[in-house]
Amino acid sequence: MGVTTFTHDYLSPIAPSRMFKALITDSRTLLPKLLPQFIKDVNLIQGDGEAGSIEQVNFAEASPFKYLKNRIDELDNDNLACKYTMIEGDPLGNKLESIAYEVKFEATSDGGCLCKMTSKYNAIGEFEVKEEELKEGRESSIGIYRVVEAYLLENPQVYA
């Protein structure tokens, strides 16, 4: 089993605490509301939302995937950081055992934030993950960030 790591930074005009709340701590509520064409619902199936919890994302019918399950490994509200692992679901296919994610939101001098994302792909057997194969998934993640960002810009009182 090989592990392939990719990093990506995303710059946002939104304060880090607001992005963290929207994308991490309240994503179960917010994402299905903002993206109903892609995300049907997000359910906590084990735990209380803190480290050790497992949530299931059910995708809308238009999606090529039915569901995925994420385990929350660490949730650091003080440092606006989260580690979670996709442990089950269609995006893993038969080539990936899991995908571990680390997300951290840091303040920038203009009042916005820098979101630092690291993804570790744990392959099954000799499969090798290539960056170009992940382009669609990364673009989808950035698309979600942009939708949330636009919502927060339009609603400055939300998560303030």
Side-chain angles (χ1 to χ4, degrees):
M1 174 178 80
V3 177
T4 307
T5 302
F6 297 103
T7 60
H8 182 77
D9 291 346
Y10 179 78
L11 207 52
S12 172
I14 304 296
S17 61
R18 293 183 70 212
M19 286 293 277
F20 182 80
K21 288 175 187 168
L23 288 165
I24 304 298
T25 60
D26 198 37
S27 63
R28 283 187 293 283
T29 303
L30 187 61
L31 295 183
K33 174 181 164 184
L34 296 181
L35 298 158
Q37 68 276 30
F38 300 111
I39 300 173
K40 182 178 173 185
D41 55 37
V42 182
N43 300 305
L44 199 57
I45 58 173
Q46 178 181 310
D48 58 2
E50 295 295 319
S53 298
I54 296 175
E55 61 183 18
Q56 180 168 319
V57 178
N58 295 305
F59 295 101
E61 287 186 31
S63 172
F65 303 124
K66 285 187 165 201
Y67 81 101
L68 64 81
K69 288 183 184 177
N70 287 324
R71 179 187 63 231
I72 301 169
D73 300 314
E74 290 181 32
L75 186 61
D76 186 340
N77 291 300
D78 295 331
N79 293 305
L80 307 178
C82 179
K83 293 180 181 179
Y84 62 98
T85 304
M86 184 187 306
I87 56 171
E88 186 179 313
D90 303 320
L92 296 175
N94 59 3
K95 296 179 180 174
L96 296 172
E97 182 177 302
S98 63
I99 306 170
Y101 299 95
E102 294 180 27
V103 183
K104 182 162 178 41
F105 298 86
E106 298 177 351
T108 56
S109 60
D110 63 0
C113 71
L114 176 66
C115 174
K116 295 182 172 189
M117 299 171 272
T118 302
S119 306
K120 294 180 181 177
Y121 293 78
N122 298 299
I124 296 171
E126 299 299 314
F127 178 71
E128 189 175 325
V129 179
K130 294 185 176 27
E131 191 165 9
E132 58 270 9
E133 296 171 336
L134 307 176
K135 186 178 181 184
E136 187 176 328
R138 182 171 24 244
E139 287 176 2
S140 175
S141 294
I142 297 302
I144 291 170
Y145 278 52
R146 287 190 179 124
V147 168
V148 169
E149 185 178 275
Y151 172 75
L152 295 175
L153 284 169
E154 292 172 12
N155 299 279
Q157 74 287 359
V158 176
Y159 307 121

